């Protein structure tokens, strides 16, 4: 099936630092979604993007739908301890009726 | 709490066995999605049901089947289980049938096949 390349795989940062992660694909997506998953929980939707070039914020989180429709990034500003978790990008292919494709996740670890 | 419930939370069984995972969507949601999460494959979409009908199919094995009942709860049946089927199985729901709708995930069922 389709693959989303998500990077970095993990990040070790200090509290207060900004974080940036991204997803790329060789295919065109018509929707990009960013989820966060805490240990023992299901993924929680953070931001949904529906148009190329769209830039959307949710508090300290900002995500953009790449102009080529093949990539997206998520930024977290001024990280805090509760930001720890695994962040997943997900996309729906153009014309696709086969569900969301997920990246492998970025594991965010915040060092005190 | 997403409003999506899944039972059981944990399931341990042996190879060759058959299990049923259950999901109750959020009140009012018509769509149910099933996902499998494993360390090597990540999150994989399995299947979607909308108002009782199959809507989309992903990487679901032939040994697996699902259905959505008139009260909108859904069951995922896994048969002839293999060691590689050990994973977290998530159910998600949304109010309509569009894949890009906000999907609310349940807490998951952790399946261990010994």
């Amino acid at each position: 099936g389709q693959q989303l390349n998500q990077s970095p795989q993990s990040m070790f940062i200090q509290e207060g630092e900004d974080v940036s992660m991204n997803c790329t694909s060789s295919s065109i997506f018509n929707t990009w979604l960013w989820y966060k998953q805490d240990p023992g929980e299901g993924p929680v939707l953070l931001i949904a993007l529906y148009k190329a070039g769209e830039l959307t914020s949710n508090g300290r989180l900002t995500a953009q739908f790449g102009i080529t429709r093949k990539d997206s990034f998520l930024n977290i500003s001024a990280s805090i301890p509760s930001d720890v978790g695994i962040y997943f990008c997900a996309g729906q292919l153009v014309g696709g009726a086969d569900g969301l494709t997920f990246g492998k996740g970025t594991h965010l670890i915040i060092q005190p | 709490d997403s409003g999506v419930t899944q039972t059981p939370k944990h399931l341990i069984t042996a190879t060759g066995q058959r299990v049923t995972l259950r999901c109750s969507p959020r009140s009012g949601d018509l769509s149910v999605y099933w996902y499998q999460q494993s360390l090597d494959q990540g999150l994989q979409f399995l299947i979607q049901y909308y108002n009782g009908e199959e809507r989309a199919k992903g990487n679901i094995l032939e040994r697996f089947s699902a259905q959505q009942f008139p009260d909108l709860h859904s069951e995922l049946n896994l048969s002839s289980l293999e060691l590689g089927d050990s994973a977290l199985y998530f159910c998600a729901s949304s109010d309509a049938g569009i894949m890009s709708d906000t999907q609310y995930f349940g807490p998951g069922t952790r399946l261990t096949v010994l």
Side-chain angles (χ1 to χ4, degrees), chain A residues 1 3 31 33 35 37 40-43 45 50 88 92 97-100 102-104, chain B residues 9 35 37 40-43 45 55-58 88 90 99-100 102-103 105-107:
Chain A
Q3 293 288 330
T31 302
L33 307 167
Y35 285 86
Q37 186 176 19
E41 305 283 333
L45 182 66
Y50 300 106
F88 291 96
Q92 185 185 13
D98 54 355
L100 293 175
F102 281 83
K104 291 290 180 78
Chain B
K9 192 164 178 63
Y35 292 86
Q37 186 176 36
D40 55 344
Q41 294 292 324
L43 262 166
F45 168 69
R55 174 64 67 94
K57 215 166 187 174
L88 264 172
F90 287 105
M99 194 67 64
S100 56
T102 298
Q103 294 183 30
F105 281 75

Side-chain angles (χ1 to χ4, degrees), chain B residues 28-33 48 50 55 94-99 101:
Chain B
D29 283 358
L30 298 178
S31 245
V32 169
Y33 310 78
Q48 177 201 3
Y50 176 74
R55 174 64 67 94
S94 69
D95 59 358
I98 305 169
M99 194 67 64
D101 283 345

Side-chain angles (χ1 to χ4, degrees), chain A residues 28-31 69 92-99:
Chain A
I28 291 175
F29 284 81
N30 63 6
T31 302
R69 301 172 76 182
Q92 185 185 13
L93 291 168
V94 172
D98 54 355

Side-chain angles (χ1 to χ4, degrees), chain A residues 50-73:
Chain A
Y50 300 106
K51 286 180 1 182
E54 180 181 353
L55 185 71
T56 297
S57 293
N58 178 7
R60 292 178 296 105
L61 279 61
T62 302
Q64 184 160 28
F65 193 140
I67 293 175
T68 65
R69 301 172 76 182
K70 295 181 179 181
D71 62 338
S72 177
F73 72 75

Side-chain angles (χ1 to χ4, degrees), chain A residues 13-17 36 38-39 60 76-85 87 108-112:
Chain A
I13 64 166
Q14 301 282 340
E15 183 178 348
E17 286 185 21
K36 179 176 182 249
D38 291 326
R60 292 178 296 105
I76 305 173
S77 63
S79 58
I80 59 177
S82 62
D83 291 334
V84 165
Y87 293 79
L108 180 61
I109 299 160
I110 298 179
Q111 297 170 325

